Amino acid sequence: MRGRKPFLDALVAALAPDDVLVSCLGANARWLPHMNVPVPMFALCDSMSAAVPLALGIALSRPERHVIALEGDGSLLMSPNVLATVAAQRPDNLTVMLWVNKHYESSGGQALPAAPVDWAALARAAGIAQVETVDEPAALAKALEAARKAKAPALLVLPIAFDPAEDIPPYSERPEEIRARFRL
């Protein structure tokens, strides 16, 4: 199982000009401002489980853009019903990338409840047909391209290692700076 940063590097390298990123709070939102992200990015810093709903709204209001929501398994566990909402709305320009490390990393690394959640099966049961597990960063570009071509919402499950010693950058932007920078 790989760490987070190689997947983030692979994602940034695979972005297309019409992409938009919406990142949940936590490590992704803390890493991305320190990377050369060539597309509009909204990195949430205080809102757990808000990346998918925000990305869904952007996808529905801006159908010419491909929106990629980065969400953690702890965040999605708070409101998995959002997968059914995504399936019901059927945006053909939304891909959810679910980072699965079985921890509430943002709040201190507490383990998630021991219930074995099969995220791919849950997404399919909610009505999302384009679901793929991506185990290696090198496979991410191909999976993202397949999600773009699906003409339906997609979910990519990224199993990553939880590393409590990972040197994650601190939040570098205040909410008003994030809002001001984000322009579509």
Side-chain angles (χ1 to χ4, degrees):
M1 195 175 301
R2 303 285 183 185
R4 171 185 320 279
K5 186 65 167 56
F7 278 105
L8 283 172
D9 290 336
L11 169 62
V12 170
L15 291 171
D18 69 337
D19 287 340
V20 175
L21 287 182
V22 177
S23 178
C24 64
L25 81 161
N28 289 337
R30 290 165 55 187
W31 270 115
L32 287 168
H34 299 278
M35 299 175 73
N36 187 19
V37 179
V39 300
M41 174 187 62
F42 195 94
L44 296 158
C45 61
D46 292 328
S47 301
M48 199 166 177
S49 77
V52 175
L54 179 58
L56 175 61
I58 295 170
L60 293 173
S61 66
R62 296 298 300 268
E64 77 282 6
R65 304 300 295 253
H66 181 246
V67 184
I68 304 167
L70 310 182
E71 189 68 271
D73 54 347
S75 287
L76 191 56
L77 193 58
M78 291 183 65
S79 58
N81 58 304
V82 74
L83 295 176
T85 303
V86 167
Q89 292 298 311
R90 292 199 46 78
D92 63 2
N93 61 332
L94 176 63
T95 299
V96 176
M97 297 181 86
L98 182 62
W99 303 72
V100 178
N101 67 8
K102 300 181 181 177
H103 286 80
Y104 291 110
E105 190 170 38
S106 298
S107 63
Q110 304 88 346
L112 294 182
V117 178
D118 181 338
W119 291 106
L122 182 63
R124 287 186 189 101
I128 298 174
Q130 180 67 30
V131 178
E132 183 176 345
T133 298
V134 182
D135 293 313
E136 294 292 329
L140 186 60
K142 183 178 177 185
L144 186 55
E145 188 58 31
R148 282 189 189 99
K149 291 179 179 176
K151 298 300 179 198
L155 178 87
L156 302 179
V157 178
L158 308 177
I160 61 169
F162 173 68
D163 178 2
E166 181 182 4
D167 190 19
I168 302 169
Y171 283 111
S172 59
E173 297 178 306
R174 303 286 310 141
E176 58 273 8
E177 294 168 319
I178 295 167
R179 179 186 48 78
R181 180 182 38 77
F182 184 73
R183 298 276 188 252
L184 289 180

